[in-house]
Amino acid sequence: MTRASLDKQPQEVATMFDDVAAKYDRTNDVLSLGQARQWRKAVARAVDARPGERVLDLAAGTGTSSLPFRAAGAYVVPCDFSIGMLREGKKRHPALPLTAGDATRLPFADGVFDAVTISFGLRNVQDTEGALREMLRVTRPGGRIVICEFSHPTWAPFRTVYTEYLMRALPPIATAVSSSPDAYVYLAESIRAWPDQAGLAARLGRAGWSRPAWRNLTGGVVALHRAYRP
């Protein structure tokens, strides 16, 4: 497989995720040193899905991230552009309405969701602000967006250690546990190229979302952004 380049051609990225689908959730747990599950819990708390609400879970992969919303009584639509991920998800969670879709051209009507969330997927979209505008379009007025994404550690010494881990330790670990280690080299590179917390908040504002704010998780390794549709 040719590793997806940082200009994020959609078909290359989709193919990359197709290749890692079978072991994706397990690999994430290993590479995040067990933090991935805690991050998913933080997302569920931030979305605060309620019975009867409609939640769009973008970049849902195998659907694991959608389970807390269903458990809360919401109607959740897991959506991803990797057919391989969706097929794997259908095996594991046949009751979920897994849906194929591109974040920049969502196959949903205007204003149909109470909340939209995307975890560790916005970084892989070719047109970030276009995707944020699409998420705004399908969210009802007063609805909310929650984004969980890798970010920039706030403590400089830790930021140096973290960068070294991404570029030196992650590839050999991925080789041991992943079906496609090249994909995780791309992911490490894309994390380094991603804007910091304030940069993503500014993009939310430019896309039309109001009151963008964020909370750091794991010292800023991950940031949880939240905003509202006016």
Side-chain angles (χ1 to χ4, degrees):
M1 188 195 84
T2 300
R3 190 170 78 241
S5 59
L6 287 180
D7 61 6
K8 294 187 280 272
Q9 294 302 313
Q11 188 54 50
E12 291 182 14
V13 177
T15 299
M16 179 189 73
F17 280 101
D18 289 347
D19 289 343
V20 301
K23 297 182 179 179
Y24 184 73
D25 292 329
R26 189 193 72 173
T27 303
N28 282 353
D29 282 339
V30 172
L31 295 180
S32 69
L33 306 179
Q35 290 296 299
R37 296 183 187 188
Q38 297 305 314
W39 296 335
R40 282 197 293 270
K41 290 178 181 178
V43 171
R45 288 193 296 269
V47 171
D48 191 23
R50 298 171 187 177
E53 285 193 323
R54 289 172 290 186
V55 177
L56 174 60
D57 185 14
L58 278 175
T62 62
T64 299
S65 60
S66 300
L67 298 178
F69 310 129
R70 186 179 66 171
Y75 178 75
V76 59
V77 178
C79 183
D80 202 285
F81 74 159
S82 165
I83 300 302
M85 284 284 194
L86 294 171
R87 284 175 178 157
E88 185 66 26
K90 204 63 180 176
K91 294 177 191 174
R92 302 181 190 183
H93 314 296
L96 286 176
L98 291 122
T99 303
D102 182 338
T104 63
R105 296 187 300 275
L106 291 172
F108 307 108
D110 296 355
V112 295
F113 292 102
D114 298 286
V116 178
T117 184
I118 182 169
S119 294
F120 308 110
L122 189 60
R123 194 181 70 258
N124 299 314
V125 176
Q126 186 178 37
D127 179 5
T128 302
E129 290 186 29
L132 291 173
R133 287 191 296 271
E134 268 291 90
M135 294 179 218
L136 185 79
R137 179 184 67 77
V138 302
T139 304
R140 66 166 177 80
R144 58 206 184 273
I145 186 172
V146 173
I147 300 170
C148 187
E149 188 53 88
F150 289 108
S151 198
H152 293 223
T154 54
W155 188 43
F158 175 60
R159 186 162 58 243
T160 300
V161 171
Y162 173 65
T163 302
E164 289 296 309
Y165 167 74
L166 279 178
M167 301 314 298
R168 296 191 182 186
L170 188 147
I173 294 173
T175 299
V177 300
S178 171
S179 54
S180 183
D182 271 355
Y184 288 89
V185 176
Y186 156 77
L187 291 174
E189 292 170 348
S190 69
I191 291 168
R192 290 183 69 184
W194 187 246
D196 64 9
Q197 291 87 329
L200 180 52
R203 290 188 182 192
L204 278 161
R206 288 196 297 269
W209 292 94
S210 68
R211 294 182 284 155
W214 70 86
R215 179 165 67 91
N216 290 316
L217 305 177
T218 318
V221 168
V222 164
L224 204 58
H225 284 72
R226 186 168 180 164
Y228 299 86
R229 177 173 176 176

